[in-house]
Amino acid sequence: MSETSTSLIRRLRGRATGLAVAGTVLVLAAPASVTAAAPDPVSVLTYTVKERKAAVSYWTAARIKAVGKSADLGPTGPKAKPYKGVALKTVGRLFFVNANGADTWCTATAVKSANRSAVMTAAHCVRRGSSPGNTNTDMVFVPGYHKGKRPYGTFAVRSAATPRTWVYDSTDDLSALVVDADKNGRKLTDVVGGQAIAFNRPVGGTISALGYSATRPQLGEELLRCVGTAKKADGTQAIPCDMTGGSSGGPWLAGFSTTTGKGTLVSVNASLDSLTPTKMYGEIFGATAKKVYDRAQKA
């Protein structure tokens, strides 16, 4: 459970030292008229049909129960409270095996998309930052998860797009996934709907952040919610919240209604201010986030 216990700890972000530049590389000078192509700003992981089938089989009810019991990150609240409102079909647990080989989970959200199959989460739920070879496997999305129930099925993750800046520099902690159709051939948002998503939105206003935090007594079995006003913070945005590991990747919804279950996704849970959290940080969805989302929705 190392992912849920450590992944939300506040990172140094832009001040972190990337590992990609280690070592010395000999480069031959090119003619002045030749310009090297800019690297793709989006990195994409893909999973084979065999791997996706294996992932769905891997996440049995017993394994899901066990992974929750393996984590206890302290008591829930006082800022985070159990979500009360209409059933949230779009938000679910994202199960995977991390780069260390440990079963773990994050939170993710189905969003409106051209292919009706896109899901937003945090980049650190997909791969370790500044470490290109450390990626997660056996990844499935379970929308509407609640106390062991999977009312809308289990969707294998087919591909995961993250910013190149996350892969090499641990910045821009967001990801857009593409999931397979369910066992009946239905696409994700045809089954559960999708939240609207906004880019280049000014920071501010009331935000509902949701996640399957590994705090007790819920231990990831129930959706928790923080509500607060978003404020700019060190190139990102922050709200008062004490959810911790397991809530990674959960949605920040502006204009959220507990009656309709709808809002507009403006960020995802990315990191905390300390081991005893008081604030949750999320990226500001701008041009980079739009490129990542577009890569997924067009896949």
Side-chain angles (χ1 to χ4, degrees):
M1 275 303 300
S2 56
E3 185 75 14
T4 52
S5 62
T6 63
S7 59
L8 273 181
I9 304 306
R10 182 73 170 136
R11 289 177 295 276
L12 294 177
R13 297 183 175 276
R15 294 188 289 276
T17 301
L19 301 179
V21 296
T24 302
V25 179
L26 179 63
V27 180
L28 299 177
S33 60
V34 176
T35 302
D40 191 337
V42 180
S43 293
V44 181
L45 287 173
T46 58
Y47 301 97
T48 66
V49 172
K50 182 179 179 180
E51 288 170 334
R52 279 138 47 196
K53 287 182 178 179
V56 173
S57 297
Y58 183 81
W59 286 104
T60 62
R63 188 174 292 277
I64 287 174
K65 186 176 182 180
V67 75
K69 287 186 174 182
S70 71
D72 183 346
L73 299 183
T76 295
K79 293 180 175 66
K81 302 179 186 302
Y83 168 72
K84 302 294 183 184
V86 67
L88 272 185
K89 298 179 180 181
T90 54
V91 181
R93 283 175 89 178
L94 180 70
F95 295 100
F96 55 92
V97 177
N98 68 18
N100 294 328
D103 291 354
T104 187
W105 79 88
C106 280
T107 306
T109 308
V111 293
K112 294 179 179 179
S113 59
N115 60 10
R116 312 196 305 282
S117 303
V119 176
M120 297 298 295
T121 190
H124 72 259
C125 297
V126 171
R127 63 194 307 159
R128 192 174 297 164
S130 303
S131 185
N134 284 308
T135 59
N136 300 335
T137 61
D138 295 292
M139 190 175 297
V140 300
F141 177 55
V142 183
Y145 181 92
H146 184 74
K147 294 184 177 180
K149 296 181 179 178
R150 302 189 236 186
Y152 311 107
T154 301
F155 295 78
V157 174
R158 176 156 43 102
S159 64
T162 57
R164 179 181 172 84
T165 47
W166 174 258
V167 178
Y168 293 98
D169 298 310
S170 297
T171 59
D172 298 310
D173 192 357
L174 60 100
S175 179
L177 316 178
V178 181
V179 298
D180 280 342
D182 69 9
K183 63 181 181 180
N184 297 314
R186 299 175 301 175
K187 291 193 173 184
L188 175 65
T189 60
D190 292 338
V191 178
V192 301
Q195 298 289 349
I197 185 168
F199 302 95
N200 301 308
R201 175 185 179 274
V203 173
T206 300
I207 299 296
S208 287
L210 298 127
Y212 290 92
S213 183
T215 48
R216 63 177 182 272
Q218 292 82 16
L219 298 179
E221 289 295 307
E222 299 177 57
L223 193 60
L224 301 181
R225 179 191 182 204
C226 290
V227 181
T229 300
K231 295 182 179 180
K232 290 184 178 180
D234 190 25
T236 65
Q237 52 186 326
I239 60 170
C241 188
D242 50 15
M243 287 192 291
T244 184
S247 67
S248 297
W252 286 31
L253 296 171
F256 177 69
S257 167
T258 57
T259 301
T260 64
K262 295 180 179 180
T264 299
L265 188 78
V266 298
S267 190
V268 296
N269 297 326
S271 54
L272 298 169
D273 58 344
S274 66
L275 284 168
T276 305
T278 61
K279 293 180 182 178
M280 179 77 77
Y281 296 84
E283 305 292 352
I284 297 171
F285 279 9
T288 297
K290 182 65 163 58
K291 289 176 182 177
V292 171
Y293 164 78
D294 280 342
R295 182 67 63 88
Q297 76 157 341
K298 295 174 183 177

